[in-house]
């Protein structure tokens, strides 16, 4: 069964509004989650690393004030796209990092959220 | 800095043909993991394989096989007797083992495989 869920799966919003995307780890507690963005016909680009109980770590070029990440519990991380613009339209995918053995991690990906900003 | 290159942007084959998807990577780390993921049109990433840098044995899983060559920094993926259901985007990815970086994944640009009847 699915390990990671995302909600909503699709969202359309108007330019200037904010959108919140949820990522839930269904069967495991996750201290670390990742947020990726994928533009049409392009690869996944890591946006930020979400750490439970602390501030997210953003990749270079990603505006932390625009993409707010909250990892308030071990099973939920949220990504809020603030003041969305059409160029923010993309496929947003989260993943959960789980430790299989010492220093061996696997990432389980959510089904993604397709955001369209009109 | 890590980098993953998938030179083939799109491949089209006829069903039952064999097809190889190339992946070349760059890293300064001596220990790392390599992955292949499948992304069907629905968008959800499907994990196919993980291989650590110390294990150069080739692996076969059904119609799928992987050839890891550390000397050429390549981790190629072959589908034997391709089927229409194999049509998808395939991504190769690299992960450090340095826990300080949280094991971030660096993805290649992907190869779109189209299998036709």
């Amino acid at each position: 069964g699915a390990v990671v869920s995302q909600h909503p799966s699709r969202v359309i919003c108007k330019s200037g509004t904010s959108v919140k995307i949820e990522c839930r780890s269904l069967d495991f507690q996750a201290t670390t989650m990742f947020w990726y963005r994928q533009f049409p016909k392009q690869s996944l680009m890591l946006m930020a690393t979400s750490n439970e109980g602390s501030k997210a770590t953003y990749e270079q070029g990603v505006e932390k004030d625009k993409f707010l990440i909250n990892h308030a519990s071990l099973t939920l991380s949220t990504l809020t796209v603030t003041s969305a613009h059409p160029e923010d339209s993309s496929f947003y995918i989260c993943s959960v990092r789980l430790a299989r053995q010492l220093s061996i991690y696997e990432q389980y990906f959510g089904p993604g959220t397709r955001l369209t900003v009109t | 800095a890590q980098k993953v290159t998938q030179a083939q942007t799109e491949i089209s084959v006829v069903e039952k043909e064999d097809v190889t998807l190339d992946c070349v990577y760059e890293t300064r780390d001596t220990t790392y993991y390599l992955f292949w993921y499948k992304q069907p049109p629905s968008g959800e990433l499907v994990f196919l394989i993980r291989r650590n840098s110390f294990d150069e044995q080739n692996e076969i899983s059904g119609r799928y096989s992987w050839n890891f060559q550390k000397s050429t920094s390549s981790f190629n993926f072959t589908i034997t007797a391709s089927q229409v259901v194999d049509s998808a985007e395939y991504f190769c990815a690299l992960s450090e083992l340095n826990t300080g970086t949280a094991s971030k994944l660096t993805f290649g640009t992907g190869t779109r495989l189209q299998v036709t009847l």
Side-chain angles (χ1 to χ4, degrees):
Chain A
V3 176
V4 183
S5 71
Q6 276 185 245
H7 178 79
S9 56
R10 289 179 177 272
V11 58
I12 301 173
C13 71
K14 292 187 177 180
S15 190
T17 60
S18 295
V19 174
K20 180 184 285 188
I21 302 169
E22 294 184 349
C23 176
R24 291 186 184 273
S25 176
L26 298 179
D27 297 319
F28 303 93
Q29 294 185 328
T31 56
T32 302
M33 296 185 182
F34 299 94
W35 285 96
Y36 296 84
R37 180 169 53 184
Q38 185 181 28
F39 291 109
K41 298 191 177 183
Q42 293 189 28
S43 188
L44 283 77
M45 298 300 295
L46 180 65
M47 299 175 66
T49 303
S50 171
N51 302 299
E52 188 268 336
S54 64
K55 291 183 178 180
T57 304
Y58 290 81
E59 295 300 301
Q60 195 171 11
V62 178
E63 299 174 57
K64 61 181 180 181
D65 294 330
K66 180 170 182 59
F67 298 100
L68 301 178
I69 292 173
N70 187 323
H71 193 154
S73 79
L74 288 170
T75 58
L76 174 65
S77 175
T78 60
L79 168 69
T80 301
V81 183
T82 62
S83 187
H85 291 285
E87 56 265 31
D88 298 324
S89 298
S90 186
F91 193 52
Y92 291 87
I93 306 172
C94 73
S95 72
V96 168
R97 187 189 78 156
L98 298 174
R100 284 301 180 198
Q101 300 173 32
L102 184 63
S103 297
I104 297 177
Y105 299 94
E106 288 184 4
Q107 285 191 35
Y108 291 87
F109 288 85
T113 296
R114 192 164 302 281
L115 170 64
T116 304
V117 184
T118 60
Chain B
Q2 297 180 321
K3 185 178 178 182
V4 178
T5 302
Q6 294 178 254
Q8 307 147 308
T9 54
E10 195 160 341
I11 301 175
S12 187
V13 298
V14 176
E15 203 176 38
K16 298 183 183 175
E17 285 185 5
D18 298 347
V19 59
T20 296
L21 282 61
D22 298 332
C23 173
V24 175
Y25 62 92
E26 296 175 30
T27 179
R28 282 180 283 189
D29 294 332
T30 55
T31 53
Y32 48 88
Y33 279 110
L34 294 164
F35 301 80
W36 274 95
Y37 289 91
K38 175 182 180 180
Q39 188 178 40
S42 62
E44 186 165 0
L45 282 171
V46 178
F47 168 81
L48 296 178
I49 191 172
R50 179 189 70 229
R51 175 52 51 86
N52 78 52
S53 53
F54 294 115
D55 182 3
E56 286 193 70
Q57 280 192 354
N58 291 332
E59 182 158 340
I60 299 175
S61 176
R63 296 185 297 108
Y64 296 167
S65 62
W66 291 270
N67 185 326
F68 178 26
Q69 301 253 342
K70 210 168 179 179
S71 60
T72 56
S73 297
S74 66
F75 186 43
N76 298 337
F77 172 33
T78 297
I79 302 175
T80 303
S82 59
Q83 299 176 2
V84 173
V85 294
D86 297 327
S87 298
E89 188 89 22
Y90 290 86
F91 291 97
C92 180
L94 172 69
S95 172
E96 305 162 335
L97 280 179
N98 181 349
T99 56
T101 59
S103 302
K104 297 188 293 188
L105 281 172
T106 299
F107 283 86
T109 48
T111 297
R112 183 172 298 276
L113 174 64
Q114 184 73 36
V115 182
T116 57
L117 292 171

